[in-house]
Amino acid sequence: YALYHGSETMVPLAKDLEALDVYFQLVRLRYSNKVDIHFRTLEGDVPTMQVPPLIFATFIENAFKHGISYRHSSYVHASLQLTDDGRRLLFQCINSRHTQTDKQPTANPKKGEGIGLQNVRKRLDLIYGKDYSLVTESDEDVYRLTLTLPK
């Protein structure tokens, strides 16, 4: 998917969700019962809208990279839904946070917003201008990311 569609500006939402579903299947195999993994996607028919390819995958990969501990219980919960008025797509990803020594060996030791998130913001700015919202929140134990896109 990344090779064939990653360089496109936009792809059908259904195609991106298929790739996400496969990714979640793989991480469930990798972590088995050690990590609480949930992905709730749109119920019923997927809207015929276009999204930037791999935009959601970037956030999911970050959640696993930075939110999983081998010493403590960890989780990654993601959801995709339409807003109440049906005019916007709402993506949320919530994951556990742990001290630096509890993270996976591949975790980035830098604090603050990393290059991946900065690049996503630039991409979204180019595609949507000011017609999107990307909000990140974190506290000691939880990291939350909410992305809202026009439908």
Side-chain angles (χ1 to χ4, degrees), residues 54-119:
L54 302 167
I55 201 81
F56 308 117
T58 302
F59 305 132
I60 300 298
E61 288 173 354
N62 276 347
F64 282 101
K65 180 179 179 184
H66 299 292
I68 303 302
S69 167
Y70 289 114
R71 296 186 185 118
H72 303 287
S73 62
S74 301
Y75 61 89
V76 174
H77 297 168
S79 66
L80 193 66
Q81 62 193 40
L82 292 175
T83 56
D84 290 339
D85 63 6
R87 295 176 51 204
R88 300 184 83 66
L89 187 67
L90 178 68
F91 172 80
Q92 292 185 307
C93 186
I94 302 169
N95 60 269
S96 50
R97 290 191 66 203
H98 304 283
T99 61
Q100 187 62 37
T101 57
D102 290 337
K103 292 181 183 175
Q104 293 185 60
T106 59
N108 184 349
K110 295 179 183 176
K111 294 187 178 200
E113 192 171 290
I115 190 78
L117 195 51
Q118 291 173 14
N119 286 341

